[in-house]
Amino acid sequence: MREIFENIPIIRYEGPDSQNPLAFKYYNPDRIILGKTMKEHLPFAMAWWHTLCATGTDMFGRGTAHKSFGKEMETMEHAMAKVDAGFECMQKLGISYFCFHDADLVPEAADIRETNRRLDEITDYILEKIQSTGIRCLWGTANLFSNPRFMNGAGSTNAADVYCFAAAQIKKALELTVKLGGKGYVFWGGREGYETLLNTDMKLEQDNIARLMHMAVDYARSIGFKGDFYIEPKPKEPMKHQYDFDAATAIGFLRQYGLEKDFKLNIEANHATLAGHTFQHELRVSAINGMLGSIDANQGDDQLGWDTDEFPSNVYEATMCMYEVLNAGGLTGGLNFDAKNRRPSYTPHDMFYAFILGMDTFALGLIKAAAIIEDGRLNAFLQDRYASFYNGIGQTILDGSATLTSLACYAESLGAPAMPDSGRQEYLQSIVNNILFS
Ligand code: XLS
Ligand code: NI
Ligand code: NI
């Protein structure tokens, strides 16, 4: 087997004092945290599109990174070389999962039947790699946003023929996901939205998206898919407005259309901030609704209003993420690095440095989140803050025996209401800092 990243060794844990750029400082897969190994807590995944396809092209310039992997671009030989490169990369980093779009795997042909034949061929090869390495598919999806035919959306298109092409791609992507043993299937509605309401039948579009999702669930279950479907919320980009705006909106949509049993959410950090939320907020909304499925682990830039898909470096954010994940009892999905190098970081070494950064950031986040939980002060404060609901009049509210009249009588008996206890935000923030930096 040809080695593609010849100068990159297997990346091992060397500890925080190591200055070896090709070693983990915090991610120690076998270390036990709260009863599970780090590897179990952190089911990392490689995103096929960023890692194997993206070259750093932007609106103003060509790619800077070479990802031919020694073959002619846009050929089946190149598609095979991407498989080799991807599996070598995951093996060297100790990453156990990957995520893919159909369009990431092979060059699209003019006729969908030929594209599907190519997809069969490449997934035969991927399946061999899965069997020989034990690396698994976290989730698959169909790219329903790049081809110009999807300019007005896929499920939300105005053109029934285009809707059928979307259906055909979803059908095939589901078959491939099942073939590769994928744990989940993602709907990211990049073009499922609008540019202007002047030309948009919002109700029809949303009804049609739900119809497509129902058909996808029915078909997937009929071919043996047991995993979760995910909606990946994002408020905008590429469309001005996207229907899956944020976690709360997506959950409302799923419940409105009776899809909530089959779907959970795939929360992306950078999408949360584009929606005007924190990453932690989106995770909490998902978790309290029983919908926290998987995570696209990346980060945005506070000064930029678009999806920069950076590898996560912010330990505070990662700590709050893992705090939510631990409190929710873990992920059924995984942590997919939907992240790419900055355009000037274009070498294979940069790619490995980026993954090391991301994996170490989440390892630190896990260590610190577990420390916050073990420390117990935050949780104790929270219990105490709501204590008035666990006895006396508060208890009657929780157990449903209260009426507006009983509460009003009680209020009258008090005369003037008391002030609630302080929220103590700054005190709590100092506890978090104390744990983070000790
Ligand atoms: C784009 C999305 C996309 C999904 C998969 O912003 O994050 O990459 O994760 O279609
Ligand atoms: Ni994503
Ligand atoms: Ni994104």
Side-chain angles (χ1 to χ4, degrees):
M1 171 96 268
R2 174 175 75 110
E3 195 177 2
I4 294 177
F5 304 108
E6 277 175 336
N7 301 320
I8 310 279
I10 292 189
I11 311 298
R12 301 187 196 282
Y13 171 73
E14 289 187 4
D17 294 331
S18 168
Q19 295 198 1
N20 176 1
L22 290 170
F24 295 118
K25 318 299 179 297
Y26 304 100
Y27 180 60
N28 180 1
D30 301 323
R31 176 170 165 189
I32 307 281
I33 308 255
L34 299 176
K36 282 203 291 189
T37 63
M38 272 195 164
K39 198 179 166 83
E40 289 170 305
H41 279 293
L42 302 168
F44 292 128
M46 177 197 80
W48 210 271
W49 53 105
H50 284 310
T51 308
L52 304 172
C53 310
T55 57
T57 310
D58 70 14
M59 261 112 76
F60 300 94
R62 291 191 297 275
T64 54
H66 293 283
K67 297 206 174 157
S68 68
F69 307 117
K71 302 288 170 183
E72 192 186 332
M73 299 286 280
E74 301 304 309
T75 60
M76 280 307 279
E77 291 68 41
H78 179 230
M80 301 282 215
K82 282 174 14 185
V83 178
D84 293 338
F87 276 84
E88 186 182 323
C89 167
M90 289 185 276
Q91 279 189 294
K92 286 188 166 168
L93 287 158
I95 288 181
S96 308
Y97 295 95
F98 63 89
C99 301
F100 72 96
H101 303 83
D102 50 0
D104 305 335
L105 301 182
V106 294
E108 195 178 352
D111 186 315
I112 193 171
R113 286 166 298 187
E114 169 58 12
T115 307
N116 287 349
R117 195 203 57 73
R118 293 179 187 178
L119 286 167
D120 290 337
E121 188 184 328
I122 203 74
T123 49
D124 284 346
Y125 189 48
I126 295 176
L127 199 53
E128 278 174 31
K129 294 278 192 179
I130 287 177
Q131 283 156 358
S132 65
T133 61
I135 288 170
R136 293 186 55 191
C137 172
L138 181 64
W139 52 255
T141 188
N143 177 327
L144 305 177
F145 44 89
S146 294
N147 192 300
R149 72 169 69 98
F150 297 120
M151 66 172 84
N152 299 332
S156 64
T157 181
N158 59 306
D161 284 4
V162 173
Y163 193 92
C164 297
F165 265 93
Q169 264 187 258
I170 292 169
K171 177 173 180 284
K172 188 67 184 175
L174 283 167
E175 290 163 4
L176 300 177
T177 302
V178 170
K179 174 174 174 181
L180 300 179
K183 285 176 38 160
Y185 184 88
V186 163
F187 282 90
W188 169 61
R191 306 260 179 211
E192 313 290 32
Y194 61 81
E195 294 297 329
T196 171
L197 285 174
L198 293 175
N199 67 10
T200 301
D201 184 340
M202 189 192 270
K203 173 136 185 9
L204 178 77
E205 292 198 359
Q206 295 206 13
D207 288 351
N208 276 351
I209 294 170
R211 290 186 179 105
L212 196 54
M213 287 178 173
H214 272 291
M215 288 187 249
V217 171
D218 291 346
Y219 182 69
R221 298 304 179 211
S222 82
I223 59 167
F225 177 65
K226 303 232 165 16
D228 287 320
F229 286 85
Y230 302 120
I231 281 186
E232 183 178 323
K234 186 178 184 183
K236 58 187 169 189
E237 195 213 17
M239 295 306 254
K240 170 190 163 59
H241 179 95
Q242 279 158 212
Y243 294 134
D244 302 327
F245 194 91
D246 60 2
T249 311
I251 291 167
F253 173 90
L254 291 171
R255 290 192 179 140
Q256 180 186 350
Y257 290 102
L259 288 157
E260 71 277 10
K261 298 269 181 300
D262 293 284
F263 275 77
K264 290 190 166 68
L265 299 184
N266 182 43
I267 297 298
E268 178 163 321
N270 203 164
H271 297 183
T273 49
L274 289 181
H277 302 307
T278 60
F279 183 21
Q280 186 181 10
H281 168 96
E282 289 292 85
L283 295 166
R284 180 76 64 91
V285 170
S286 308
I288 64 173
N289 285 285
M291 294 256 179
L292 178 55
S294 206
I295 289 176
D296 271 11
N298 63 13
Q299 74 183 30
D301 183 304
D302 286 344
Q303 277 76 48
L304 301 177
W306 62 90
D307 205 10
T308 57
D309 286 349
E310 297 171 30
F311 273 88
S313 63
N314 186 325
V315 176
Y316 199 103
E317 290 288 314
T319 301
M320 291 306 137
C321 168
M322 291 313 297
Y323 184 64
E324 295 301 320
V325 169
L326 289 174
N327 285 332
L331 292 169
T332 46
L335 290 157
N336 168 46
F337 288 113
D338 191 354
K340 60 187 178 202
N341 283 98
R342 297 307 85 196
R343 192 164 181 265
S345 306
Y346 62 91
T347 73
H349 274 79
D350 289 308
M351 195 175 101
F352 281 87
Y353 295 157
F355 275 103
I356 291 167
L357 169 70
M359 292 165 78
D360 268 344
T361 299
F362 267 84
L364 261 173
L366 170 64
I367 293 166
K368 294 300 176 182
I372 292 172
I373 289 170
E374 280 176 330
D375 171 88
R377 276 177 289 174
L378 248 54
N379 193 41
F381 183 85
L382 197 68
Q383 297 308 315
D384 194 47
R385 187 158 190 246
Y386 294 92
S388 67
F389 282 96
Y390 295 99
N391 55 58
I393 192 73
Q395 177 106 55
T396 71
I397 297 170
L398 294 202
D399 69 21
S401 63
T403 64
L404 211 54
T405 308
S406 73
L407 300 185
C409 280
Y410 177 82
E412 281 167 24
S413 77
L414 287 182
M419 286 274 279
D421 290 338
S422 162
R424 299 246 189 278
Q425 179 170 333
E426 298 76 7
Y427 160 70
L428 298 169
Q429 287 169 325
S430 80
I431 293 178
V432 172
N433 274 1
N434 180 228
I435 294 171
L436 274 177
F437 296 103
S438 61

